Amino acid sequence: MKLNSIGKTLGTTLSAAAIAALTLSACGSDNNAGSTGGGSGGSSSADCGGKNSVTAEGSTAQQNAIAEFNKVWGQSCSGKNLSYNPTGSGAGREQFIAGNVDFAGSDSALKDEQIAAAAERCGGNPAWNLPLVFGPIAMAYNVPGVDKLVLNGDTLAKIFQGQIKKWNDPAIAALNSGVTLPDTDITPIFRSDSSGTTDNFQKYLEAASGGAWTKGAGSEFQGGAGEGAQKSAGVAQAVQATPGAIGYVEKGFADQAGIPYAQIDNGSGAVELTDESAGKAIDAAKFAAEGNDLTLDLKSLYGMQDAGAYPLVLATYEIVCSKGYDAETAEAVKSFLKVAANDGQANLSAAGYVPLPDAFKERLVTSIDAISASA
């Protein structure tokens, strides 16, 4: 099933407690997304039912987006507030399964071994993975004298496995006709902490390198080359401080640090990282199955060769009960998520995320509407 575009209508405000829980800076998972949707509808468009206080926990990649959604929700629905604890995706899934929070934020869908436990937590009903926040991963680099750089899945795989060691390597030069590349050592910078960004970057390399990446995926970096740095901010700082460095980091962190990032040739030519090019990739991605669980087929996203699509995009999910909440919780969770999917998209770009394309948003809202309380 094709994922089309996303876009517009939501509302919220951050309480002091939520602000304390959501102090962040750019996207990051420590994880973080066309024809972009904008989010015009006013507060009158919001359904403000249910309880006033909702709890969630998980991905640090989406925490800035969640803070924005919470602000808009409070603006649209006076008195509403989400308390979000950015402890990481794994912790978020565990706390949701334990019934300690109303929903989880996660850089990956529920794992196979978690599906049954999540259904038990939801009163015997399946939990759904709803992709709400997308953040492009930038290949930030520090190559003095090189203002424009093109790379692809093959060259990135070989750089991060230590097989391409110099910036003027013939494989890189072939992608950068007319650019004078220096005879400088390449220093790959990777996340030294467990990270959903690392997992998704390695999944991208698996899908896009034509078999060159042989190290597998996972939240720990497997490439064996380069230097590690803690968290997204650490990667950005390390690239900025190291001539010859390149690192994978959420776009918001690269923008904050003023670091350039490479274009990616997905097989149909070089693509610059913009909201439009990342949104085009989201639009062309596919869901893993039919129905209201919207787990993405990441191979279709990372391996795509659509012209003008920037494929290295991190999708983060809200994991919710399809059914099994009490009525007050069900209505409040739906209210928050619908505001986030609509009006909450308007200011995401400035924080380094990609607003949902319109058709994708419509598909997402259909799933949100289908969330219901226990019979």
Side-chain angles (χ1 to χ4, degrees), residues 263-331:
Q263 298 181 24
I264 289 183
D265 188 334
N266 68 4
S268 297
V271 181
E272 184 178 357
L273 170 50
T274 64
D275 283 357
E276 182 180 6
S277 64
K280 188 168 185 177
I282 296 165
D283 235 3
K286 298 176 182 178
F287 298 109
E290 300 288 334
N292 287 315
D293 179 272
L294 301 184
T295 300
L296 295 169
D297 175 1
L298 291 179
K299 289 184 179 179
S300 76
L301 176 63
Y302 293 147
M304 73 172 52
Q305 296 185 343
D306 297 43
Y310 183 89
L312 188 46
V313 177
L314 173 69
T316 69
Y317 297 90
E318 312 317 316
I319 299 174
V320 303
C321 289
S322 60
K323 190 173 180 180
Y325 292 121
D326 63 78
E328 286 288 294
T329 300
E331 290 306 309

Side-chain angles (χ1 to χ4, degrees), residues 176-201:
N176 292 274
S177 177
V179 177
T180 301
L181 297 166
D183 183 27
T184 300
D185 289 342
I186 299 175
T187 303
I189 305 294
F190 59 87
R191 285 282 295 274
S192 58
D193 54 317
S194 181
S195 163
T197 308
T198 294
D199 187 25
N200 280 270
F201 176 59

Side-chain angles (χ1 to χ4, degrees), residues 128 130 333-334 337-338 341 363-371:
W128 289 342
L130 304 181
V333 168
K334 290 169 68 172
L337 293 176
K338 288 184 73 172
R363 183 68 190 85
L364 176 63
V365 169
T366 297
S367 291
I368 295 169
D369 281 336
I371 296 169

Side-chain angles (χ1 to χ4, degrees), residues 140-158:
Y141 69 91
N142 180 350
V143 185
V146 177
D147 298 325
K148 178 183 175 183
L149 179 68
V150 178
L151 297 168
N152 61 12
D154 178 78
T155 53
L156 285 168
K158 292 174 181 175

